[in-house]
Amino acid sequence: LGAAFILALSGTGLLGCSDAAQQPSADSLVELDASVGAAGSVQIQPQGFTTVQARITAADGDVREVCLWLADNADERSRGLMGVTDLGDAVGMAFQFEAPTSRSFYMFQTPTPLSIAWFAPDGRYVGSVDMTPCRDTSPGDCQLYSPGRQYDVAIEVFAGGLAELGIGPGSSVELIDAGDSDGCPATP
C-alpha cells in the first residue's frame, strides 16, 4: 500500500502535499518502523496508524474479513504508505473520508507499486487502478489516479492484490471494528 500519498492543491480537488504552505516537513512526512528482512533488505512498516477490520463482499457473494491500516484524518491520508515496503499483518491501507470526495491519489515517495480501489458511501465498488511509484521527481510531476466519481473509502494493496481479496466490479466493502489498535488481531 504505497503511500498513495494524497495531494492537496487549493481548488483542484486534490488532497495533501503539493502546496508548499501545506506540505509537511521532510522529518514529519513518514515515521517509519524499519527492521531488517531475511535477505538483509530493510523492511519499513507504517507507523502512527491504527487498524480497522474490513468486510469485503465479492461479486459472487463470497465474504471475507481482513485487517487494514487506517488513514482517517488529513495527516494520515497525506502520509499513506509513503516509504512503506512491508505491511506487517495488514493486507493494505484504508483511506476513509468524512464526506464523499473525488480527490486524486499519487505515488510520491512510494517505493512499492500499488493497486487502489475506491468505494461509494454505500460501500459499492466505484473503480480500481494499478499505480506506479513516483520517487525521483517532484510531487507535481507524479501521475494522478482517480476513479472520476465520488467515493468515501479507498483501499490500497500491493500491486495485483485486489482480486485475491475479492475486490473488483460488483464487490462492496464495509469498515467495521475501527479501534485504537496499532496492529491486526491475532488469527485463531
Side-chain angles (χ1 to χ4, degrees):
L1 300 213
F5 186 74
I6 306 177
L7 186 61
L9 293 174
S10 176
T12 65
L14 302 176
L15 291 177
C17 291
S18 72
D19 182 50
Q22 294 183 332
Q23 208 165 20
S25 70
D27 294 335
S28 69
L29 279 178
V30 184
E31 291 181 39
L32 302 172
D33 179 24
S35 60
V36 177
S41 62
V42 175
Q43 300 298 305
I44 302 170
Q45 294 185 2
Q47 282 291 303
F49 295 92
T50 59
T51 58
V52 63
Q53 291 295 116
R55 182 175 295 124
I56 299 168
T57 304
D60 65 4
D62 184 45
V63 177
R64 69 183 296 179
E65 289 188 11
V66 298
C67 178
L68 299 164
W69 293 105
L70 178 63
D72 62 354
N73 65 51
D75 176 62
E76 291 171 349
R77 289 188 299 261
S78 71
R79 287 184 293 131
L81 295 175
M82 181 180 284
V84 172
T85 59
D86 179 12
L87 296 171
D89 292 330
V91 298
M93 180 173 279
F95 294 79
Q96 185 175 38
F97 296 84
E98 296 81 11
T101 184
S102 58
R103 293 173 175 163
S104 295
F105 283 70
Y106 72 161
M107 295 282 288
F108 182 66
Q109 295 300 312
T110 304
T112 308
L114 301 174
S115 296
I116 186 171
W118 294 275
F119 297 88
D122 65 0
R124 286 180 299 128
Y125 173 89
V126 171
S128 63
V129 69
D130 292 331
M131 301 186 296
T132 305
C134 180
R135 295 184 50 112
D136 299 320
T137 187
S138 67
D141 292 334
C142 295
Q143 181 174 348
L144 300 178
Y145 301 93
S146 172
R149 295 176 37 201
Q150 295 274 302
Y151 65 91
D152 71 345
V153 170
I155 295 178
E156 291 180 342
V157 299
F158 286 152
L162 293 173
E164 180 182 328
L165 299 176
I167 296 175
S171 66
S172 64
V173 69
E174 176 186 6
L175 299 184
I176 55 176
D177 192 30
D180 293 329
S181 175
D182 60 359
C184 296
T187 54

